[in-house]
């Protein structure tokens, strides 16, 4: 049975937490990859980055707790997606600017799917 891991409600996502989460080069790369093919398994997102599983887990937790991503666990596999609609509602254009700045694909709020429980 799938379950969504704890994350802040849309109205509780604050700019300082989001900017803190995005202030790390590894997390920026994770966000760039999620803007392309969300939702993805955590393993697929970190493939080729060269970080340990515990480091990846830390980065995914920071992104989730800041409200940048949503994580759904299905058995032993965790699937991650950007909370693009929530972020665009709270901070219009922020995610598009970040993805563009890190060399991601052309982005629009409707082009990225979001996990719903």
């Amino acid at each position: 049975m799938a379950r969504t891991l704890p994350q802040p409600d849309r109205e509780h996502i604050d700019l300082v937490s989001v900017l803190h989460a995005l202030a790390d080069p590894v997390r920026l790369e994770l966000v760039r990859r999620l803007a392309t093919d969300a939702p993805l398994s955590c393993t697929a997102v970190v493939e080729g980055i060269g970080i340990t599983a515990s480091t990846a887990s830390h980065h995914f937790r920071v992104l989730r707790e800041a409200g940048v991503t949503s994580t759904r666990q299905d058995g032993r596999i965790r699937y991650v997606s950007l909370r693009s609609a929530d972020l665009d509602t709270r901070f219009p254009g922020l995610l598009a600017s970040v993805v563009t700045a890190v060399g991601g694909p052309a982005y629009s709020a409707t082009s990225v799917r979001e996990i719903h429980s």
Side-chain angles (χ1 to χ4, degrees):
M1 177 189 258
R3 69 181 176 98
T4 301
L5 299 182
Q7 62 191 15
D9 293 329
R10 177 186 294 175
E11 60 273 3
H12 291 112
I13 298 172
D14 69 276
L15 185 60
V16 172
S17 296
V18 170
L19 293 176
H20 170 76
L22 297 173
D24 182 274
V26 172
R27 291 193 289 269
L28 279 175
E29 176 60 16
L30 298 177
V31 167
R32 186 191 68 77
R33 290 176 177 208
L34 288 168
T36 304
D37 295 311
L40 295 170
S41 70
C42 290
T43 305
V45 177
V46 299
E47 186 175 323
I49 292 180
I51 58 175
T52 65
S54 62
T55 300
S57 179
H58 165 74
H59 287 303
F60 283 123
R61 180 181 55 79
V62 170
L63 289 168
R64 180 177 46 82
E65 289 179 353
V68 176
T69 62
S70 179
T71 304
R72 177 178 55 94
Q73 185 165 348
D74 191 3
R76 293 178 52 136
I77 301 173
R78 290 184 177 192
Y79 296 94
V80 183
S81 65
L82 289 177
R83 292 181 63 185
S84 55
D86 290 340
L87 289 170
D88 286 338
T89 297
R90 295 282 293 143
F91 315 110
L94 175 67
L95 192 57
S97 296
V98 168
V99 170
T100 301
V102 295
Y107 168 85
S108 71
T110 57
S111 69
V112 179
R113 293 173 293 164
E114 186 172 321
I115 294 176
H116 296 284
S117 56

